[in-house]
């Protein structure tokens, strides 16, 4: 199978049929071998009837013992050889299907990674799961037609030729009978595609609901909503079952025709051959051969029917995959051919001779430079700790999204618009840490370290800065303790601190932290605010918060009203000058807020 993790290539996303064809052309040697083995195997099935007829006509009828033993030995040898060829065919086609399965999985995973934060906005988790499990299997099964399917076509031609040497009438019946089967089954296969598509839609929706229930089971149980969601799941699964019955009804007719029509076809040809033998137009051995040829023809006819069914299902699933692959990231780089988003080197990879390229469109600044958001008037000065305080929390979050290039805007970095700078350069140097970031299953160490292994001292320092030492001490194996997906075995405040520790350990040039202390108590919040200040000393940091304990450590605070900067200054300056700011951060009346704040700081 080769390297499971190698580049799967660029899929053809223009249509479902083209995608399946891409799976075929991605492994031409293996597919050609499968077609060869399948053709040899199918053609080999036509030899035993011929050898049997010769044994009857040349050995059994005239009583010629040596001829009978000779033809019988040849029949045995052909049977053994064809069995070995069948093994090679099956092994090769299994590898073809496995390659198609793994190739599609790699393509889907790569697309999911490329979409990033766009993924949950455009497609449900259940849909991705269904694509990665059932769809890939159905599509890989459709590739079986490249082996036995090709061999079936060859066997059809060979049998027709052999029957032509016996009787042109029988050959004509065979040549006309098989296309007639396709005419009968065609409408059923078309109907099956419609039923499969409807079933597939419901299956994806039900999988999405199941993922939602599992992910929020603890919350649902606490709110008393578990029974409600269970009832909805029961209702939707009943609808899926009914849709499955409709698919099964069509599939049962196809299966019935797959067994019944070839048997009827065999009976008609055998009846005609028996009449010809009775009139003396063909010999007894030729009658046996005709029966054998027609019986052998049942195999390729069955493969035709089975292949049509597999391709029909494969096209339905491929449409889903193609639709998923057609999704584009919401904030992808502009096409260089359009004149925007030139992929020039930046940051550490920039030529030092270029100096500070902050004013050059399409290039990230080579050295720390200000981040500016024209929509709000916010400016983040390099090397400082800046805080955003919004009368509406969503206003501060929107500014963070714009400065992190998670939302289209006119935000700039050192004079260059963010949307003209290659996204990979921004992601390498600007990190937005929010409270919805994923925590993957693994150890606590894995969750904090991220994609790179770090020294124990660095990990411990980040955990201390995030005031998360109690989490490590409270787990049985410390940093090596198991962490469930999304940190479900931690409290909300613990998950928040683990996410912050991970962000601090990453040590980005610019850190944008969204409400980093919203789920912790006052004591922990004070320790966390001091730790963040110390850990990010001399580094550019932006936090959105209304916590006076955090705001006390900020160099600059932007007070937002209706999404625009109302005032800029230190925390104490704004407390003294802005009544709205005092009311917001102290959560009390204007008269007693200064006293309450001083008490909180002490």
């Amino acid at each position: 199978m080769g390297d499971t993790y190698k580049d799967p290539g660029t899929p053809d996303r223009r249509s479902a049929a083209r995608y399946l064809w891409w799976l075929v052309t991605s492994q031409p040697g293996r597919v050609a071998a499968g077609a060869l083995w399948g053709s040899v195997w199918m053609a080999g099935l036509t030899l035993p009837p011929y050898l049997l007829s010769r044994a009857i006509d040349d050995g059994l009828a005239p009583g010629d013992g040596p001829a009978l033993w000779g033809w019988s030995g040849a029949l045995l040898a052909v049977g053994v050889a064809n069995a070995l060829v069948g093994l090679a065919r099956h092994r090769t086609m299994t590898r073809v299907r496995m390659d198609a399965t793994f190739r599609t999985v790699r393509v889907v995973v790569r697309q999911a990674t490329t979409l990033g934060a766009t993924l949950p906005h455009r497609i449900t988790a259940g849909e991705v799961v269904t694509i990665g499990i059932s769809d890939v299997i159905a599509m890989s099964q459709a590739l079986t037609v490249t082996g036995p399917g090709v061999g079936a076509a060859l066997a059809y031609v060979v049998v027709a030729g052999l029957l032509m040497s016996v009787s042109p009438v029988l050959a004509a019946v065979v040549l006309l009978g098989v296309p007639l089967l396709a005419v009968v089954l065609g409408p059923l296969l078309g109907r099956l595609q419609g039923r499969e598509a409807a079933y597939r839609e419901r299956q994806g929706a039900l999988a999405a609901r199941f993922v939602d229930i599992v992910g929020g089971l603890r919350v649902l149980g606490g709110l008393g909503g578990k029974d409600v969601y269970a009832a909805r799941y029961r209702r939707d699964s009943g609808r899926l079952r009914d849709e499955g019955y409709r698919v099964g009804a069509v599939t049962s007719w196809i299966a019935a025709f797959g067994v019944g029509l070839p048997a009827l076809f065999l009976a008609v040809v055998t009846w005609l051959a028996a009449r010809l033998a009775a009139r003396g137009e063909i010999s007894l051995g030729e009658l046996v051969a005709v029966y054998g040829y027609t019986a052998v023809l049942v195999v390729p006819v069955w493969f035709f029917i089975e292949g049509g069914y597999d391709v029909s299902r494969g096209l339905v699933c491929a449409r889903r995959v193609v639709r998923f692959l057609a999704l584009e990231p919401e904030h992808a780089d502009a096409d260089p051919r359009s004149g925007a988003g030139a992929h020039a080197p930046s940051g550490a990879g920039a030529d030092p001779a270029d100096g500070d390229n902050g004013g050059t469109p399409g290039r990230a600044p080579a050295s720390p430079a200000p981040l500016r958001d024209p929509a709000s008037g916010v400016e983040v000065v390099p090397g400082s700790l800046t805080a955003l305080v919004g009368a509406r929390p969503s206003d501060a979050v929107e500014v963070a999204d714009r400065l992190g290039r998670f939302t289209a805007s006119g935000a700039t970095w050192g004079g260059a618009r963010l949307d003209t700078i290659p996204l990979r350069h921004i992601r390498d140097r600007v990190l937005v840490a929010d409270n919805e970031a994923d925590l993957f299953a693994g150890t606590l160490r894995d969750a904090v370290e991220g994609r790179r292994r770090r020294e124990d001292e660095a990990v411990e320092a980040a955990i201390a800065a995030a005031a998360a030492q109690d989490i490590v001490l409270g787990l049985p194996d410390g940093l090596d303790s198991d962490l469930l997906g999304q940190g479900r075995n931690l409290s909300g405040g613990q998950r928040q601190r683990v996410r912050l520790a991970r962000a601090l350990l990453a040590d980005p040039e610019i850190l944008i932290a969204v409400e980093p202390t919203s789920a912790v108590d006052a004591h922990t919040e004070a320790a966390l605010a001091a730790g963040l200040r110390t850990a990010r000393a001399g580094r550019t940091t932006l936090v959105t918060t209304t916590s006076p304990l955090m705001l006390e450590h900020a160099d600059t605070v932007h007070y937002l009203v209706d999404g625009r900067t109302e005032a800029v200054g230190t925390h104490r300056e704004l407390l003294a000058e802005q009544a709205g700011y005092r009311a917001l951060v102290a959560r009390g009346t204007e008269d007693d807020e200064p006293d309450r704040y001083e008490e909180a700081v002490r």
Side-chain angles (χ1 to χ4, degrees), residues 312-369:
S312 178
R313 293 189 65 217
L315 288 172
V316 171
C317 297
R319 290 191 191 101
R320 310 289 302 184
V321 174
V322 168
R323 193 180 309 168
F324 175 66
L325 296 179
L327 298 177
E328 295 290 344
E330 294 174 348
H331 315 297
D333 292 329
D335 190 339
R337 292 171 295 183
S338 67
H343 292 267
S346 67
D351 188 346
D354 290 341
D356 186 352
N357 298 301
T360 304
R363 177 172 293 191
S367 58

Side-chain angles (χ1 to χ4, degrees), residues 154-345:
L154 177 63
Y156 169 64
V157 174
V158 171
V159 168
L162 291 172
L163 288 176
M164 183 68 73
S165 65
V166 176
S167 169
V169 174
L170 296 176
V173 171
V174 171
L175 289 173
L176 295 176
V178 174
L180 182 61
L181 295 179
V183 172
V184 172
L185 290 175
L188 283 176
L189 293 176
R191 186 178 180 185
L192 177 64
Q193 283 200 40
R195 293 297 189 191
E196 282 277 359
Y199 179 82
R200 178 61 183 74
E201 291 286 349
R202 289 194 180 277
Q203 186 181 35
L206 188 64
R209 185 177 294 278
F210 180 76
V211 171
D212 291 341
I213 291 175
V214 172
L217 190 58
R218 180 182 298 178
V219 176
L220 290 174
L223 297 176
K226 186 164 57 175
D227 293 338
V228 175
Y229 268 79
R232 291 179 181 176
Y233 185 83
R234 191 179 302 111
R235 179 196 63 199
D236 291 344
S237 62
R239 292 174 178 173
L240 180 64
R241 177 199 58 210
D242 295 340
E243 198 65 51
Y245 287 155
R246 297 185 184 98
V247 173
V250 180
T251 304
S252 64
W253 278 106
I254 294 175
F257 281 126
V259 175
L261 289 181
L264 180 62
F265 185 63
L266 173 62
V268 170
V269 174
T270 304
W271 178 75
L272 290 174
R275 289 181 59 86
L276 293 175
R279 293 200 298 264
E281 298 181 19
I282 61 175
S283 67
L284 183 61
E286 288 175 328
L287 173 61
V288 174
V290 168
Y291 176 82
Y293 295 149
T294 310
V296 166
L297 197 60
V298 169
V299 177
V301 169
W302 181 85
F303 269 113
F304 283 144
I305 297 172
E306 186 73 10
Y309 172 68
D310 289 340
V311 170
S312 178
R313 293 189 65 217
L315 288 172
V316 171
C317 297
R319 290 191 191 101
R320 310 289 302 184
V321 174
V322 168
R323 193 180 309 168
F324 175 66
L325 296 179
L327 298 177
E328 295 290 344
E330 294 174 348
H331 315 297
D333 292 329
D335 190 339
R337 292 171 295 183
S338 67
H343 292 267

Side-chain angles (χ1 to χ4, degrees), residues 48-60 67-68 71 285 289:
Y50 171 77
L51 296 175
L52 183 60
S53 69
R54 299 300 301 171
I56 292 174
D57 287 342
D58 297 345
L60 186 61
L68 178 61
W71 287 115

Side-chain angles (χ1 to χ4, degrees), residues 31 36 63 161 241 259 291 311 392 437 554 564 587:
V31 169
L36 175 62
R241 177 199 58 210
V259 175
Y291 176 82
V311 170
R392 292 193 306 261
R564 295 287 303 174
R587 302 294 184 191

